Amino acid sequence: MIEVCSLNGNVFFLNPDLIYRVEELPDTMITLVDGKTLYVANQASQIAELVLIYRQKIAHPNKFKE
């Protein structure tokens, strides 16, 4: 899961496997695979970075052990 922030400041966690696309319109809109949309305070580039880190942790779990 990745941590994102809604426009009203509430933090929530999103399964990145459900993301279809991310756009900045100027607010960042995340479209999910089921067609639902979420508007978040994060920039699109931040979302992309969070997804990348998430996928790296899945692919190489020993690299991220604490």
Side-chain angles (χ1 to χ4, degrees):
M1 303 286 262
I2 61 171
E3 184 177 307
V4 294
C5 185
S6 65
L7 293 177
N8 65 7
N10 292 329
V11 173
F12 65 97
F13 294 88
L14 176 64
N15 181 345
D17 296 328
L18 299 178
I19 296 174
Y20 171 67
R21 69 193 286 169
V22 180
E23 304 172 76
E24 286 188 19
L25 306 169
D27 292 327
T28 303
M29 180 178 77
I30 301 173
T31 304
L32 305 178
V33 294
D34 65 359
K36 292 180 183 176
T37 57
L38 304 168
Y39 288 90
V40 296
N42 306 72
Q43 294 180 344
S45 59
Q46 291 173 319
I47 299 296
E49 183 68 22
L50 290 170
V51 171
L52 178 64
I53 292 167
Y54 170 81
R55 299 229 187 275
Q56 288 174 339
K57 286 180 180 180
I58 297 296
H60 305 286
N62 293 331
K63 183 177 178 182
F64 294 92
K65 281 189 174 178
E66 295 180 20

